[in-house]
Amino acid sequence: MPGREQILRRLRWVLGVLTPWVGVWLLLGLRILPGLRNAPNPFLQEFKLTDVMLNAVYEWVLAALVAYLVIGLLLALLAQVAIGLGAPKEDGSNLDFRGGLLLSAGALLWFHGALYVGVPAAMASVPVLRSLPMGLSLLLLLGGGSALLWAQIRRCPGRFPLLRTGMALLLITLPLFIPHDSFRRLMPSPAPVEATAPRVLLVGLDAMRQDFFEEIMPAWKAPGGVSTLSPAPSTRKLWNLVMGADPAAFDHSMVMPARWELEHPEHLQLLVQAHLKGTRTAFLINDPLTLSFGLQPNLFTTVYEPQGGWKYWFTLGYGTAWPVYSWVQNHTSIVETSNAWSDTSAYWRDVERSLEGHHWVSSHLCDLHAPITLRRTELQSWRGWSWLWDSAAQYRSSMTPGDLAAHPIRQTWRGDALLHYRVRMKGVLKELEPLLPRWTARYPALSGVVFSDHGETHLPAPLPDGSVVHLSGMHGYWGDADSLRIALHPFGRTTHALDPSKVWSLLDLRDALARWMAAPGKPLHLTAEEVAYPTQFVSIRADFEIPKDDRKQAVRNAGLQAADLIMHTHLNRMGTWFTDPPDPKASAASAEMVLSRALAEGSRLTVFNPIGGGQWERIVYQGHTERSREIVAESAMRKELAAFPGTRRVRALTPEAFQP
């Protein structure tokens, strides 16, 4: 039995081990508090840290502390194993506060350095490190960690101190090589479905622009030269429409679901039919902020999404705040997350496992969400080794013109968000490319479609030197070619009857799924019936472009009014957020005024975005190229659109759609 003095010595050692990790957790957290207090929600910046929101921050901060304490103690124990290899059996002189402090501080610096080796651009959020060349910052972290471990090992009696130091560094690095989905492989999963059974796999790539998609993967161009269109640039709206929701009921839908959607999940008719027919359905998403399907029961057979629902925006928007927590989060999540330290290949393995036990799998990858923090492999493919001489601050992107104006000196061409977007997109597509034939070979009756819910708009902004950079992407709810034109690539058994005179939309994908549901033995068959395709949706960009001081004088209905949205938004502690229905006293005419309109005619796209005062900005595109831009009155807009009634846009699924 150890004596009292030995027990106290070990307790002091544990205290020394935990002290650096608590200190770093505190220092890293303090630097984000001002921004978190001022804008706790990236969508609804008028939200304040009160009640449920404050509780969510508390849960996140506490979870980060637990992660730092557990990992700190684990790494110290691993390093202590190496120290003990050459020490006399009875010696315990190194188990004191100073020994624990040196050992832990060394492991902390080395481990954070190793994490930043994987995502060096994340050092842009760390004072001092963000201004140094990234190679030097990594050298300081890794070198400092090695030196502290060496100092502790030199304090301990025993032979081969250099070898023991190397062994300690190796042991505390090994956890980083554990695949993120290691624990998920051990979790219970549905019984396998026969490999020859009919299957459908929908691979949704959030914010994937059609032009860059086809530039990177020319073999994946839309078949038949058909024009592809999103009925509305909104993730939540699009997935609901694809699963059978009534388009007319979703014209005015917002970022958050309405209360009636949560109370009546049967409005997703395709999922109802799947349940009646015994079709197993799965939905995977690596960012639950928008959809939160896992928090809504009785929709899918299985939902794979990170925990937290709307609360996830803290770990996403401030995902580089605590690197160790973000790294741990990927291991403990039911599916790979979209934080800065996520591994896309682990997410695709999650999709592959779900495909084994389900007939219909919908996958939504959010790795193109802004802001994008480039990983080392992405920097390497873009910049070679030159990134080592660049500072992490040079790769920061501006979110708004105001942000750029406030910090013009720090913005460089390396921080162009559009460049980051293309680099990340290429990595995602090249990783997905070999998986499609592998899945098709494994499941011979697999029909699949790769598509995007909407694109991403990156606004250009001038720098003081006369050059131009692009701001972080406008993610949905805005009408232009970059947002509305989407990717389309069928694979597996999927067939099509598409031609360049038609417009294919995700409502056509919905109809194809209904036909497949009626006759699952047949392949998924894509068709497009519309030559001219009109659509309408809520717009938010106009409101956020109005300076705050001018909003009281701004004409109403020039886009979604964020203040009104906040007044009708509710949060609950389970992570679900929802809105009340709009005021029933509001007239239909005034409700329509907040909508953007778009008309696709083959490769030609005409967009009308509201700017207030009964006026719309009319923009005409050929493909992704802007041809004209002008301000028109409401009467002119309605006259131009009157020739295209758009009966297909508002057509809901009927029982006949499910007949074989």
Side-chain angles (χ1 to χ4, degrees):
M1 292 288 292
R4 183 172 179 270
E5 180 58 33
Q6 288 179 310
I7 293 176
L8 291 176
R9 181 186 291 270
R10 282 166 172 75
L11 289 176
R12 286 193 291 269
W13 180 82
V14 171
L15 183 62
V17 165
L18 297 181
T19 296
W21 290 87
V22 173
V24 167
W25 165 81
L26 187 61
L27 289 174
L28 291 177
L30 284 175
R31 78 187 195 279
I32 67 171
L33 285 181
L36 189 64
R37 183 180 64 251
N38 296 333
N41 184 324
F43 288 115
L44 305 174
Q45 298 186 15
E46 289 84 350
F47 261 137
K48 303 301 179 184
L49 286 177
T50 57
D51 192 34
V52 178
M53 184 76 74
L54 189 61
N55 184 69
V57 173
Y58 167 76
E59 291 175 359
W60 169 48
V61 171
L62 184 61
L65 175 61
V66 171
Y68 266 68
L69 293 179
V70 171
I71 295 301
L73 191 58
L74 173 64
L75 296 183
L77 292 173
L78 290 173
Q80 189 64 34
V81 169
I83 292 176
L85 290 177
K89 186 174 182 180
E90 299 299 326
D91 187 85
S93 60
N94 62 314
L95 294 177
D96 56 5
F97 179 83
R98 183 185 177 190
L101 191 67
L102 283 173
L103 183 70
S104 184
L108 182 149
L109 288 177
W110 178 271
F111 196 74
H112 277 80
L115 285 174
Y116 284 128
V117 166
V119 192
M123 289 187 288
S125 64
V126 184
V128 181
L129 292 184
R130 62 182 168 220
S131 302
L132 300 175
M134 286 188 277
L136 177 59
S137 296
L138 294 175
L139 185 62
L140 290 174
L141 290 171
L142 297 174
S146 303
L148 289 174
L149 283 171
W150 167 259
Q152 169 60 8
I153 288 177
R154 286 295 302 270
R155 291 181 65 239
C156 306
R159 302 171 60 190
F160 311 115
L162 188 62
L163 180 62
R164 284 188 287 155
T165 302
M167 179 65 72
L169 294 175
L170 176 62
L171 287 177
I172 62 179
T173 307
L174 283 179
L176 293 173
F177 293 95
I178 299 174
H180 289 181
D181 60 330
S182 296
F183 303 112
R184 297 196 287 271
R185 298 175 189 179
L186 305 177
M187 295 174 60
S189 57
V193 175
E194 285 187 31
T196 57
R199 281 175 168 83
V200 163
L201 173 60
L202 305 182
V203 182
L205 303 175
D206 197 315
M208 184 75 68
R209 276 174 53 167
Q210 180 196 26
D211 54 344
F212 290 171
F213 175 86
E214 296 184 348
E215 175 188 318
I216 295 170
M217 304 296 294
W220 286 9
K221 289 186 177 181
V226 69
S227 294
T228 55
L229 187 76
S230 170
S234 162
T235 301
R236 190 188 67 81
K237 179 182 289 190
L238 260 301
W239 275 111
N240 276 271
L241 293 179
V242 167
M243 294 180 296
D246 183 355
F250 272 76
D251 276 350
H252 297 81
S253 65
M254 307 295 186
V255 179
M256 294 79 71
R259 187 193 298 267
W260 68 264
E261 295 178 51
L262 304 181
E263 294 175 345
H264 300 284
E266 66 275 8
H267 78 281
L268 300 178
Q269 297 183 58
L270 284 181
L271 292 181
V272 173
Q273 288 293 321
H275 179 73
L276 293 175
K277 293 176 177 290
T279 302
R280 293 191 196 172
T281 58
F283 193 93
L284 297 95
I285 183 171
N286 60 343
D287 175 0
L289 178 58
T290 303
L291 294 171
S292 299
F293 280 143
L295 300 172
Q296 302 174 39
N298 307 319
L299 286 176
F300 299 88
T301 306
T302 316
V303 174
Y304 304 89
E305 70 178 15
Q307 297 89 351
W310 58 265
K311 294 183 283 187
Y312 183 75
W313 70 56
F314 297 119
T315 56
L316 180 65
Y318 295 93
T320 60
W322 287 295
V324 171
Y325 171 70
S326 292
W327 174 73
V328 168
Q329 188 183 28
N330 289 301
H331 285 282
T332 57
S333 175
I334 194 173
V335 67
E336 190 71 6
T337 76
S338 59
N339 68 38
W341 275 270
S342 64
D343 178 9
T344 308
S345 61
Y347 174 80
W348 294 128
R349 291 194 295 271
D350 293 333
V351 172
E352 190 164 4
R353 283 191 296 275
S354 68
L355 193 58
E356 183 179 9
H358 299 87
H359 302 97
W360 172 9
V361 175
S362 295
S363 159
H364 189 69
L365 182 75
C366 297
D367 280 12
L368 286 173
H369 272 187
I372 293 172
T373 304
L374 292 176
R375 305 168 183 127
R376 176 185 54 79
T377 52
E378 295 167 332
L379 283 174
Q380 198 77 32
S381 67
W382 174 29
R383 303 275 290 134
W385 290 103
S386 62
W387 64 269
L388 288 168
W389 284 266
D390 299 330
S391 69
Q394 292 177 298
Y395 289 86
R396 282 192 300 194
S397 298
S398 292
M399 299 291 292
T400 65
D403 181 37
L404 182 63
H407 306 282
I409 300 298
R410 80 181 190 189
Q411 184 70 71
T412 73
W413 66 270
R414 298 174 185 85
D416 191 308
L418 185 60
L419 290 175
H420 299 178
Y421 174 81
R422 295 186 69 161
V423 170
R424 173 63 57 83
M425 183 187 294
K426 183 176 181 180
V428 167
L429 292 176
K430 291 301 182 181
E431 193 162 21
L432 177 62
E433 183 179 19
L435 298 178
L436 301 186
R438 188 172 86 189
W439 293 337
T440 301
R442 183 174 179 182
Y443 303 110
L446 173 65
S447 296
V449 179
V450 178
F451 66 97
S452 48
D453 51 348
H454 57 80
E456 190 94 329
T457 300
H458 293 80
L459 301 177
L463 295 179
D465 62 3
S467 60
V468 174
V469 297
H470 291 85
L471 304 176
S472 292
M474 304 285 293
H475 192 76
Y477 287 94
W478 180 246
D480 63 7
D482 293 344
S483 294
L484 291 173
R485 294 206 177 278
I486 58 174
L488 170 63
H489 171 58
F491 65 92
R493 295 181 68 207
T494 304
T495 60
H496 68 87
L498 302 172
D499 65 73
S501 67
K502 302 292 179 63
V503 177
W504 182 89
S505 86
L506 290 178
L507 287 182
D508 293 305
L509 176 58
R510 175 205 69 178
D511 293 345
L513 287 168
R515 292 191 296 268
W516 179 83
M517 196 84 65
K522 295 183 178 180
L524 192 69
H525 183 68
L526 306 182
T527 62
E529 300 179 12
E530 294 292 343
V531 175
Y533 186 95
T535 186
Q536 60 187 32
F537 48 88
V538 174
S539 173
I540 65 169
R541 174 173 155 188
D543 181 64
F544 286 110
E545 287 188 332
I546 300 172
K548 285 189 176 181
D549 294 339
D550 298 335
R551 287 186 183 177
K552 290 184 178 180
Q553 288 75 35
V555 178
R556 305 289 291 176
N557 298 324
L560 174 66
Q561 300 294 317
D564 291 345
L565 183 57
I566 292 170
M567 290 177 60
H568 297 284
T569 297
H570 306 275
L571 308 172
N572 65 35
R573 297 185 185 277
M574 293 300 294
T576 301
W577 57 347
F578 59 91
T579 59
D580 283 324
D583 184 356
K585 297 180 181 179
S587 68
S590 64
E592 285 184 0
M593 290 181 68
V594 303
L595 303 181
S596 287
R597 271 78 165 202
L599 176 65
E601 303 168 86
S603 60
R604 175 187 168 93
L605 178 66
T606 305
V607 175
F608 296 90
N609 286 313
I611 58 175
Q615 294 182 312
W616 270 256
E617 187 175 38
R618 179 183 183 271
I619 315 172
V620 178
Y621 300 90
Q622 192 68 36
H624 282 260
T625 303
E626 183 179 322
R627 295 301 187 191
S628 65
R629 183 185 291 254
E630 61 180 326
I631 305 300
V632 300
E634 179 183 352
S635 57
M637 177 195 70
R638 293 189 178 279
K639 182 178 180 181
E640 183 171 351
L641 294 178
F644 306 97
T647 55
R648 186 168 171 77
R649 178 186 62 78
V650 298
R651 181 175 62 80
L653 284 175
T654 62
E656 290 73 24
F658 300 103
Q659 299 304 315

